[in-house]
Amino acid sequence: MLEPLRQGLPPVDPTAVSGSASCALPARFEAVRGARSFTRSTLSQWGLDDRFDDVALVVSELVTNALRHALPDEARPCGGEQPESAAVRLHLMRWSTRLVCAVRDPSEDRPGGSFAPERTDRNCDLESGRGLFLVDAYSDSWGWHPLAGRLTGKVVWALFLLHG
């Protein structure tokens, strides 16, 4: 999980992670509420309650995008049972000065359209592009990487610097 994330993040020692938490999300739009609740609980355990608003907004956008655009048709919200291969997962990782939220989805496609990082400035006035404009505005950096090894899909991540 950390290998693809390290490719676009500032250098970090993966052994120095001071906290990590992960949860699987169902292929239903109600999963966004569950992701926010999981984020609140995790940040509270880590003493980062003051970062909840920004992080929860970003988590909501990333999970919503995964549910809308990255699941196969049969696993889209309201499409029935979610196949194991179509899992969406939220990962939160904390270092002493950084917090990363990452959403893994089964799509191997490069995020397209208004989902591409380099296009957020151009599309900030479009309804479909606002989510990633918010991710860009509220996180310190963000990006995406295909998964490596046996896992298929991609990870979309957002980095938050923690000021002590």
Side-chain angles (χ1 to χ4, degrees):
M1 173 64 197
L2 289 177
E3 186 61 35
L5 291 175
R6 283 197 303 257
Q7 293 174 16
L9 293 174
V12 293
D13 179 0
T15 62
V17 173
S18 60
S20 66
S22 176
C23 73
L25 300 169
R28 296 188 303 271
F29 286 120
E30 295 83 28
V32 177
R33 184 176 5 161
R36 282 193 303 266
S37 176
F38 174 78
T39 300
R40 179 181 298 280
S41 172
T42 302
L43 293 184
S44 180
Q45 289 174 9
W46 293 342
L48 298 174
D49 295 292
D50 60 323
R51 298 305 307 262
F52 173 73
D53 291 335
D54 292 350
V55 175
L57 182 139
V58 168
V59 163
S60 296
E61 294 301 332
L62 295 180
V63 169
T64 297
N65 280 338
L67 292 171
R68 279 194 182 145
H69 304 293
L71 295 180
D73 289 338
E74 66 275 5
R76 294 264 160 102
C78 304
E81 291 296 312
Q82 178 182 16
E84 186 63 32
S85 63
V88 172
R89 278 194 87 74
L90 169 62
H91 301 270
L92 299 173
M93 292 159 285
R94 177 182 181 220
W95 289 264
S96 60
T97 59
R98 303 164 199 203
L99 172 71
V100 172
C101 64
V103 174
R104 183 183 84 193
D105 68 55
S107 173
E108 293 181 349
D109 296 336
R110 173 183 167 85
S114 60
F115 198 68
E118 63 273 9
R119 299 180 75 180
T120 54
D121 289 340
R122 240 185 327 172
N123 293 335
C124 66
D125 58 336
L126 299 176
E127 189 72 29
S128 63
R130 286 190 188 151
L132 290 177
F133 179 74
L134 292 173
V135 170
D136 188 57
Y138 282 84
S139 66
D140 290 293
S141 65
W142 72 279
W144 75 278
H145 295 285
L147 292 174
R150 296 179 308 137
L151 296 174
T152 60
K154 68 177 171 298
V155 172
V156 183
W157 56 265
L159 170 73
F160 297 86
L161 297 176
L162 303 175
H163 308 287

